[in-house]
Amino acid sequence: MNSSSMFVSKLARLSTTMTDKSKKSYLLQLFSLPILNNLEDLSVCTHFSKKILYRLSKFNSKHYARFSIPKKSGGNREILCPSLEMKAIQVWILRSILEKIQVSKAATAFRPKTSIAQNVDQHLGNQYVYCLDLENFFPSISYSKVYTIFNTIGYIPHVAHILASLCTCDGKLPQGAVTSPALSNIICLRLDNRLNAYVGAKNISYTRYADDICFSALSDSRLWGIRNTVKRIIESEKFVINKQKTRMQGPTGCRKITGLVFNKDSYGVGRKKKRVLRAKIFNYISTFTSMSPDVQLKTAQHIHGWISFLNSVDSQGCQQLTKFSKIVFNQAVVAKKIDPAKIPAPFLKVLSR
């Protein structure tokens, strides 16, 4: 029996001897969560007045700035940026409550020491990948699901309602709220466990990076065979599959997992992206003197960001581009086409690698 099953069994035995209030108090103590029985308790813990907490929870939609960013697939994605007060209380909820709740190991996003590199690591050795995308991931998570989480971990209905209201907007999880990533992982725990249990028995690897779900196996027949059941499980958890982003990939084509080009035993950003970065570095050095100082700095920051990312997922590719940067830069200095003293700090970091 695994630890989670033992925990459930223990709670079941306790339920016969404890009142509902006692059980909830026990749960909070078990998870080392703050004991909150009313708005006043929350006020004491967060150092926010009851008036402010009431206003933030009652009129939560008024405490977000809204803007849209274009999607790569077309259309726009709405981002909700919480006010300073709302953000501060959400940070407290995240640190004091949500980060203490264990999520599935298959969830590789929004957790300390995890990244898209760790997400791909779990698929190394397999030849075929089957990738799915959950449509409108954050907004598809309703207030009722968030409320259920807070109530289940031990908070009485009134407090669970306040906490859920502080973490939602317009009855759903806002993309941009501090608490949304952690809550999404907690809410997806049952989805992750169900999918992992189903495909694990078939020697299929499973990971979920936010809304990006990936399965991999040594043969494509295994992956073709799980599609219908996987679809039923996802839909039963009230998520919708984005059909346009569903793909089956094998060794004869380009395989990508969370944006990284995936081979059987390695992964990276791919040759196409490295060529683009190489061209950006060359153009930056070649046209440096014709740029305004603001553009020089922003371009340097952009290149440095990409080099840092590349180093985390493809160290060999990073070394190649760094070497290329030094060669082109030194040639420009020798030809007196560039003054080293005027190079912005971010690009100097690239050269110093």
Side-chain angles (χ1 to χ4, degrees), residues 40-320:
E40 186 172 353
D41 288 346
L42 184 61
S43 175
V44 171
C45 288
T46 61
H47 304 291
F48 276 85
S49 70
K50 291 190 291 182
K51 183 178 179 180
I52 291 176
L53 291 171
Y54 174 80
R55 174 166 48 83
L56 290 173
S57 61
K58 183 69 174 179
F59 308 104
N60 53 20
S61 62
K62 294 182 178 181
H63 297 276
Y64 288 89
R66 302 167 188 259
F67 60 94
S68 297
I69 58 173
K71 295 181 180 179
K72 288 184 179 180
S73 56
N76 293 309
R77 175 179 287 107
E78 185 181 42
I79 304 297
L80 280 72
C81 183
S83 66
L84 291 177
E85 287 180 328
M86 183 67 84
K87 184 175 182 179
I89 187 64
Q90 288 177 353
V91 169
W92 182 88
I93 294 172
L94 176 66
R95 299 284 185 260
S96 304
I97 300 175
L98 302 180
E99 288 186 345
K100 296 181 180 180
I101 302 173
Q102 188 173 357
V103 300
S104 171
K105 291 182 179 179
T108 56
F110 316 133
R111 290 170 51 206
K113 299 180 181 180
T114 61
S115 66
I116 58 173
Q118 280 73 39
N119 184 58
V120 180
D121 277 336
Q122 299 185 49
H123 299 281
L124 292 178
N126 289 329
Q127 290 277 16
Y128 297 86
V129 295
Y130 175 43
C131 298
L132 305 170
D133 183 86
L134 301 180
E135 199 168 80
N136 296 320
F137 182 55
F138 287 120
S140 68
I141 297 175
S142 65
Y143 158 87
S144 62
K145 284 188 175 182
V146 178
Y147 167 85
T148 299
I149 288 297
F150 285 117
N151 186 237
T152 301
I153 63 176
Y155 290 106
I156 62 174
H158 175 61
V159 174
H161 165 69
I162 294 172
L163 292 172
S165 297
L166 290 168
C167 296
T168 57
C169 180
D170 299 329
K172 55 193 177 184
L173 211 58
Q175 184 157 350
V178 177
T179 46
S180 291
L183 275 168
S184 70
N185 273 345
I186 296 168
I187 288 167
C188 285
L189 176 61
R190 188 170 68 175
L191 170 68
D192 293 332
N193 287 345
R194 291 178 67 188
L195 289 175
N196 218 7
Y198 171 61
V199 303
K202 302 178 184 294
N203 291 321
I204 296 173
S205 299
Y206 162 73
T207 59
R208 181 184 57 80
Y209 190 88
D211 58 352
D212 199 333
I213 288 176
C214 185
F215 305 93
S216 66
L218 288 172
S219 66
D220 60 343
S221 60
R222 291 180 185 175
L223 297 178
W224 286 112
I226 66 171
R227 290 180 305 155
N228 291 334
T229 301
V230 164
K231 182 175 182 290
R232 283 196 296 270
I233 291 174
I234 290 174
E235 291 178 347
S236 71
E237 295 292 335
K238 309 302 181 184
F239 290 105
V240 177
I241 296 173
N242 187 339
K243 295 180 180 179
Q244 294 181 339
K245 293 186 178 181
T246 300
R247 60 193 187 278
M248 184 81 73
Q249 302 169 329
T252 57
C254 178
R255 290 166 292 180
K256 279 190 175 184
I257 298 178
T258 48
L260 297 180
V261 177
F262 166 77
N263 296 312
K264 183 180 178 182
D265 299 311
S266 63
Y267 54 84
V269 297
R271 285 176 291 182
K272 182 178 179 181
K273 175 58 69 176
K274 280 187 277 193
R275 283 198 297 268
V276 171
L277 288 172
R278 186 184 175 100
K280 284 184 178 181
I281 292 168
F282 180 82
N283 290 334
Y284 178 68
I285 296 173
S286 301
T287 62
F288 181 82
T289 55
S290 63
M291 297 178 184
S292 67
D294 185 54
V295 173
Q296 290 173 351
L297 177 60
K298 287 183 178 179
T299 307
Q301 290 171 335
H302 176 75
I303 293 172
H304 176 254
W306 264 107
I307 291 295
S308 297
F309 170 72
L310 184 61
N311 186 54
S312 69
V313 298
D314 185 355
S315 58
Q316 185 176 358
C318 178
Q319 291 173 6
Q320 292 171 348

Side-chain angles (χ1 to χ4, degrees), residues 20-30 35 154:
D20 185 61
K21 186 175 181 179
S22 297
K23 281 188 290 185
K24 289 190 178 298
S25 179
Y26 173 78
L27 275 172
L28 295 175
Q29 294 178 54
L30 187 67
I35 306 297

